[in-house]
Amino acid sequence: MSRFFLESGTGPIPGEHYLTSRPGEVQWGWLPNRDTAPVLKVLSGETVTIDTVSHEGLMEDQGSDPVAYLAQFGVARDQVLTDVQTISREVARDPDDGPHVVTGPITVEGAEPGDLLKIDILSLDLRAPYGFISSRHGFGALPDEFPDPEGSEYLRDIDRIAAPTTISHFSQVVDDGGALTGVMDAGHDRTLHFPLSPFLGLMGVAPDTSSPVPSIPPGDHGGNIDIKEATAGTTLYLPVQTAGAGFYVGDPHFAQGNGEVALTALEAPLRATVRLTVINAKDAARHAGLLKNPFLETPTHWIPSGMDADLNEAMRQAVRNAVIFLNTHLGVPRQAAMAYLSAASDFEISQVVDDVKGVHCKIRKADFAHWS
């Protein structure tokens, strides 16, 4: 049994509360809304350990049978998570629904609209020693060119039963001198090696609507933001939209490049431990200025974001939000903020493959260390 294999209920569970991903605790393809009943209630400031599940290996174009699908890559039944098998059998999903297995919602006592929910990401542990990177359905950054299975035995070797319009690259996890590394087939008896940096692609609060909320597009509620900086040690701030916040997670990743150009990152299950704290509306500006959308803080950077179906507009929103943050949180005049951003901050494309594209800005804290 791999040391990276974590069945629910086994191994370290550091949170004060524990939430698994079982039928009744997940939605497949949809996010919670204001009417969704909570699966857990916690007090502000308490910690929760959540076992998350990846959709890869469960999808209909992969046979909808994770045991059979993974067996083709040499993965034994006892190395397929039980919750993955149960979800594939018992949780309904229409092929037109979103792909993500979403765990929650969690009610945080005292959270009200106008507040911020502060999510401290304390730890992210691998639950399996493998994952998948997929191109499917003509999506991705080059939808007219990939996936391209024409005449390639190599592609069938790495994705033996997927649909002709889907290619899924199997990746194993190895410990390379203490560094967690992904290893995937590159053909010609060679392999590609790349560092792992686990994060949750999907974290959000319940939108204030009774309408169904698809899991794919991110927004002011968070959701599928796919910002790879959200690793352990990072804090995410989300504007609360409904009483209790309705926090949820999903779309766990072992690694992602900015852009996520193929369609997915290295999708694989994680055990996440987070602290959930309510920031009262009157104190919110001390943490994120006057921003009203997802905002991250790492030990070294502040990271405002911008999202829109048009990538150019997502970029403009990210710039506006960075200016708002510098002006309302740090007191930088707007024109000076704009000049500083142009000279000193990086705007990075979070992802271009969802219905709503994302851009985030990285503002170095060190540039303001001399301020009193």
Side-chain angles (χ1 to χ4, degrees):
M1 189 73 71
S2 168
R3 70 181 178 89
F4 302 123
F5 191 75
L6 281 177
E7 284 277 25
S8 290
T10 68
I13 301 173
E16 297 166 86
H17 302 269
Y18 180 44
L19 179 60
T20 58
S21 287
R22 297 175 295 194
E25 297 168 333
V26 301
Q27 299 181 82
W28 194 350
W30 299 95
L31 302 181
N33 62 22
R34 68 185 176 206
D35 300 325
T36 308
V39 299
L40 180 66
K41 294 183 179 181
V42 304
L43 298 177
S44 176
E46 290 187 328
T47 58
V48 187
T49 296
I50 309 169
D51 281 346
T52 68
V53 168
S54 172
H55 55 279
E56 289 296 329
L58 287 75
M59 301 293 286
E60 62 277 358
D61 58 10
Q62 296 168 326
S64 301
D65 182 345
V67 171
Y69 186 64
L70 284 160
Q72 298 174 108
F73 304 97
V75 178
R77 176 183 289 270
D78 66 1
Q79 288 281 282
V80 183
L81 292 166
T82 300
D83 47 16
V84 169
Q85 299 180 53
T86 303
I87 288 168
S88 69
R89 290 193 308 265
E90 300 182 15
V91 179
R93 177 185 175 276
D94 187 278
D96 293 330
D97 295 344
H100 308 106
V101 178
V102 181
T103 306
I106 300 170
T107 286
V108 185
E109 298 287 353
E112 296 291 342
D115 295 341
L116 281 179
L117 184 65
K118 179 185 180 186
I119 303 107
D120 292 310
I121 305 164
L122 304 179
S123 62
L124 294 163
D125 298 313
L126 278 57
R127 296 190 63 211
Y130 52 79
F132 287 94
I133 309 159
S134 292
S135 298
R136 56 164 51 90
H137 303 163
F139 290 110
L142 298 174
D144 297 328
E145 301 175 43
F146 291 91
D148 179 19
E150 290 295 327
S152 175
E153 293 181 2
Y154 158 69
L155 291 179
R156 293 300 92 195
D157 284 344
I158 63 170
D159 192 16
R160 294 175 179 83
I161 67 170
T165 56
T166 297
I167 298 298
S168 295
H169 294 254
F170 181 73
S171 178
Q172 294 179 297
V173 175
V174 300
D175 186 335
D176 186 6
L180 294 182
T181 302
V183 180
M184 59 174 280
D185 190 342
H188 308 290
D189 297 320
R190 298 178 299 182
T191 54
L192 288 166
H193 293 230
F194 52 92
L196 303 190
S197 183
F199 75 102
L200 294 173
L202 193 156
M203 292 183 282
V205 294
D208 185 18
T209 180
S210 294
S211 299
V213 183
S215 71
I216 292 176
D220 290 347
H221 57 277
N224 188 32
I225 59 175
D226 279 332
I227 298 178
K228 73 173 190 175
E229 310 295 339
T231 54
T234 296
T235 297
L236 171 65
Y237 296 91
L238 295 172
V240 175
Q241 303 186 20
T242 61
F247 177 70
Y248 49 85
V249 299
D251 195 26
H253 298 149
F254 284 1
Q256 178 184 300
N258 278 327
E260 200 182 17
V261 294
L263 177 60
T264 83
L266 175 52
E267 313 280 324
L270 292 170
R271 174 170 291 173
T273 298
V274 298
R275 178 181 291 109
L276 302 176
T277 305
V278 177
I279 306 298
N280 188 276
K282 63 182 177 59
D283 296 323
R286 291 195 299 106
H287 296 266
L290 298 182
L291 291 177
K292 302 297 182 184
N293 40 36
F295 173 80
L296 289 95
E297 182 178 2
T298 77
T300 58
H301 289 81
W302 293 295
I303 306 178
S305 61
M307 302 174 201
D308 195 85
D310 183 321
L311 184 58
N312 288 328
E313 181 57 29
M315 177 65 182
R316 287 188 283 268
Q317 288 192 21
V319 175
R320 290 190 194 102
N321 290 334
V323 169
I324 290 170
F325 172 76
L326 289 169
N327 178 245
T328 62
H329 181 70
L330 295 171
V332 181
R334 285 173 51 83
Q335 183 60 53
M338 189 67 166
Y340 163 79
L341 291 170
S342 192
S345 292
D346 292 321
F347 287 82
E348 301 183 349
I349 297 173
S350 314
Q351 53 76 26
V352 296
V353 297
D354 298 328
D355 296 336
V356 173
K357 279 68 174 177
V359 175
H360 59 274
C361 173
K362 298 179 69 174
I363 301 170
R364 284 186 301 269
K365 291 182 176 181
D367 293 353
F368 301 87
H370 63 287
W371 287 25
S372 58

